[in-house]
Amino acid sequence: MPIEEVCDSVSAEDDAKKGPDVPFLLEERVKEKVPWKEVLKKKVGKKCSCSSARVKALLIDSIPIIKWLPRYQFKDWIIGDAMSGLIVGILLVPQSIAYSLLAEQDPIYGLYTSFFASIIYTLLGTSRHISVGIFGVLCLLVGQVVDRELTLAGYPSDTNQTTLGNVDNSTGPICDRSCYAIMVAATLTFTAGVYQVLMGLLQVGFVSVYLSDSLLSGFATGASLTILTSQIKYLLGLHLPRVQGWGSLIKTWISLFKNLGHTNLCDLITSVLCLLVLVPTKELNDRFKAKLKAPIPFELFVVIAATLASHFGQFEETYGSNVAGNIPTGFMPPQLPNWSLIPNIAVDAFSIAIVGFAITVSLSEMFAKKHGYMVDPNQEMYAIGFCNIIPSFFRCFTTSAALTKTLVKESTGCQTQISGLVTALALLLVLLVIAPAFYSLQKCVLAVIIVVNLRGALRKFGDIPQMWRVNRLDAIIWLITMATSALVNTELGLLVGVLVSAFCVLGRTQSAQVHQLGQAGDRELFEDLASYKGLQSQAEVAVFRYEAPIYYANQALFKKSLYRNVGLDPLKEKARRRKLDKQRNQKQEGEDQKQEMDVSTNVYLLQHNSLHKLVIDCSPVLFLDTAGVNALKEVCKDYKELGVNVLLARCNTSVIDSLRRGGYYDPKKGIKDIQFHTLSDAVSYAKSLKSQNGDCDTVV
């Protein structure tokens, strides 16, 4: 039944009058095309406009505390904020000293880092609950870079008093190992902060969505194994250099086993005693956290007890135990980064910037969702960037949000970032008065604190069976990221995890298949015949669905899957016909030629005599590129030559635009621009078309 003309819009009444062969069409809105120059001019004008209202809005957006502090409910919130801030401050004292060890820094610099980060994030952050400060994975990454640069500069391992006269230092020509170590860490921190602020200016806060939970969890677990390995030497009292390069975890364990005979018994006994105290007490804190108003700071108690025992027992002098050493009070004068180091650490700083931002945004969004408020990823980028840039001038190293301390803040009644200021005050008291009292604290005790705090990440190994049952692809991403981070290289683990995640998404589009659909009675419901019972296929009309976008990487797979499921490969059929024609011309005996022709033709008719129309459900096809449009053109052309009509149904507007721009619709070739918004319309229209042998009108 030929169609003489299709109007731009057909109402439901007209559709009923003209019959089922006329599809119901929606009238498309005419989109006004705005020149790109006007769009650019409008955006630039909006961003660069200068008015009092614009300045005020920009100031409020840049410094969020200006917005929420005037609305602070003092009577309702101050107790919770003060309590949570004080408890986090108490917990941060031993952890800041301990994680300085992981970053190859003196203890005082860990206290500086936690102090400045708490203040700056209070001013610039949009999350009410996260605690920004020292994070174990970042400390590990910083420590690896610092150790590498110390080796390149010629400093012996574990030597704190060696001086070099040719080190380029902005504060003076001579710099000992400790001085050079914090110079490298501060320069690395400054560079990472600059990266984060630049990403905020470029509005690329959305990149956090590409770092999946399984990727970040696998990366953190792999890094935790490396952290655990790096602390074993302190637990045993061994003086071993940090192993650099790929496979450092395995090399470190080999070195540990070779040097077990040099274990310091005093450090070993102290480590075992601290583990026997901290592991059960931390478990008690976790088990009874719902009943406790605040977690009991057992770490601080252990630090105090161990410091007193080491001091009065003279462990350093008598047994050769390695202690924290002198921790000065007060603050040192600001110091500029060492600009000459930036080329050496630029790549490392970028990976650190990405990890720090990803962890911070993930935690802030998680707690914002839990408590019903919004955070701005781009402002979080600014906040964590300035938490690195500004403190880098005061001899600090890289910071980000930390899950453990954030959970403590939340569970102890935190309402706003005022708790961060209380934490800073607690740390300030330590910096100005108490810090020197930790002189005799053994480094093995600090290592125990680090190891005990790795329990959460290491427990993820017990979740592997559950991850595998829930989603195998996520489990594979976790395993590969974890293994690469631990066994090969920590920074490489993050890159490999991102690539594996991308290839998994790409692989899903590669593995998509074409499914033949059947109709559920008279309902407007078409589903996969292989998945559901009671579905009916249509006479002379085959309906198929491809559940993926069609683009350059999978267009060949789309055609192959379609041809296989239809049961008719146009290319093979045309090749068979050409071969038949050639054989027919070569045959001299008419009887043999006729018999051969009948055999070949009968095979085709037996398989495909009922297929005259093909409907492709395009609803899962999110987009088409040029290769995808060309693939559909080829499908339509090839089947047209075999007398099969091809119809596309339920295309979204993006796909329709791609088809039009790609020249798919061509009335001269019999391909008319008619849209089918339902599969029923497409099937009804297909049934109304006359069956063809050879050329046909193919309508899409």
Side-chain angles (χ1 to χ4, degrees), residues 147-179:
D147 189 74
R148 184 191 69 205
E149 293 301 318
L150 286 171
T151 303
L152 292 175
Y155 289 98
S157 177
D158 271 348
T159 303
N160 295 324
Q161 303 301 326
T162 303
T163 60
L164 291 179
N166 58 352
V167 176
D168 181 16
N169 181 10
S170 59
T171 60
I174 298 178
C175 187
D176 64 12
R177 188 179 193 277
S178 172
C179 166

Side-chain angles (χ1 to χ4, degrees), residues 98 270-271 274 278 302-303 306 441-450:
T270 303
S271 300
C274 291
L278 281 180
V302 167
V303 165
L441 178 61
Q442 292 167 273
K443 287 187 177 180
C444 64
V445 177
L446 301 177
V448 168
I449 293 174
I450 293 174

Side-chain angles (χ1 to χ4, degrees), residues 505-507 509-510 548-556 623-628:
V505 174
L506 185 64
T509 65
Q510 296 285 305
I550 305 174
Y551 62 109
Y552 70 94
N554 71 347
Q555 51 89 18
F623 65 87
L624 296 171
D625 66 356
T626 304

Side-chain angles (χ1 to χ4, degrees), residues 48 112 127 179 224 322 388 473 503 543 553 555:
C48 300
Y112 286 164
S127 173
C179 166
S224 297
N322 199 2
N388 287 320
L473 278 179
F503 280 119
V543 184
Q555 51 89 18

Side-chain angles (χ1 to χ4, degrees), residues 165-384:
N166 58 352
V167 176
D168 181 16
N169 181 10
S170 59
T171 60
I174 298 178
C175 187
D176 64 12
R177 188 179 193 277
S178 172
C179 166
Y180 193 72
I182 190 57
M183 183 194 305
V184 174
T187 305
L188 180 68
T189 300
F190 173 82
T191 310
V194 169
Y195 282 139
Q196 290 167 333
V197 170
L198 287 177
M199 287 189 284
L201 290 172
L202 296 174
Q203 302 288 297
V204 293
F206 64 89
V207 297
S208 62
V209 302
Y210 296 105
L211 303 176
S212 64
D213 291 341
S214 57
L215 186 154
L216 291 174
S217 175
F219 173 73
T221 304
S224 297
L225 289 176
T226 306
I227 294 171
L228 173 64
T229 301
S230 70
Q231 298 307 299
I232 298 297
K233 66 179 183 181
Y234 296 108
L235 298 180
L236 301 177
L238 298 175
H239 296 273
L240 300 176
R242 186 194 291 252
V243 178
Q244 290 288 339
W246 291 9
S248 59
L249 183 138
I250 298 174
K251 294 176 183 177
T252 301
W253 278 105
I254 293 173
S255 178
L256 287 169
F257 283 119
K258 287 181 178 179
N259 291 275
L260 280 178
H262 300 93
T263 299
N264 187 304
L265 291 179
C266 179
D267 285 345
L268 177 60
I269 293 171
T270 303
S271 300
V272 171
L273 290 175
C274 291
L275 284 170
L276 290 175
V277 172
L278 281 180
V279 172
T281 52
K282 295 283 276 188
E283 290 296 330
L284 287 174
N285 264 341
D286 292 342
R287 180 168 296 183
F288 297 104
K289 62 182 179 181
K291 297 181 179 180
L292 294 172
K293 293 184 178 180
I296 303 172
F298 289 109
E299 290 174 340
L300 186 61
F301 298 156
V302 167
V303 165
I304 294 172
T307 303
L308 293 173
S310 177
H311 175 74
F312 291 106
Q314 298 183 342
F315 290 170
E316 182 184 16
E317 296 82 359
T318 306
Y319 304 106
S321 291
N322 199 2
V323 298
N326 182 46
I327 304 178
T329 56
F331 294 91
M332 299 181 186
Q335 174 180 280
L336 291 174
N338 189 327
W339 310 114
S340 63
L341 283 174
I342 291 180
N344 296 348
I345 50 87
V347 176
D348 304 286
F350 184 75
S351 62
I352 288 174
I354 294 295
V355 173
F357 163 69
I359 296 296
T360 302
V361 170
S362 299
L363 288 179
S364 61
E365 289 183 341
M366 179 176 72
F367 284 92
K369 182 179 180 180
K370 182 177 180 180
H371 292 276
Y373 62 92
M374 299 292 293
V375 294
D376 181 0
N378 287 309
Q379 181 59 32
E380 289 296 296
M381 189 89 84
Y382 288 129
I384 200 64

Side-chain angles (χ1 to χ4, degrees), residues 628-638 659 662-665 671:
V629 174
N630 290 334
L632 289 174
K633 283 183 180 180
E634 292 173 12
V635 168
C636 180
K637 177 178 176 295
D638 292 340
L659 293 171
Y664 181 86
Y665 299 116
I671 305 177

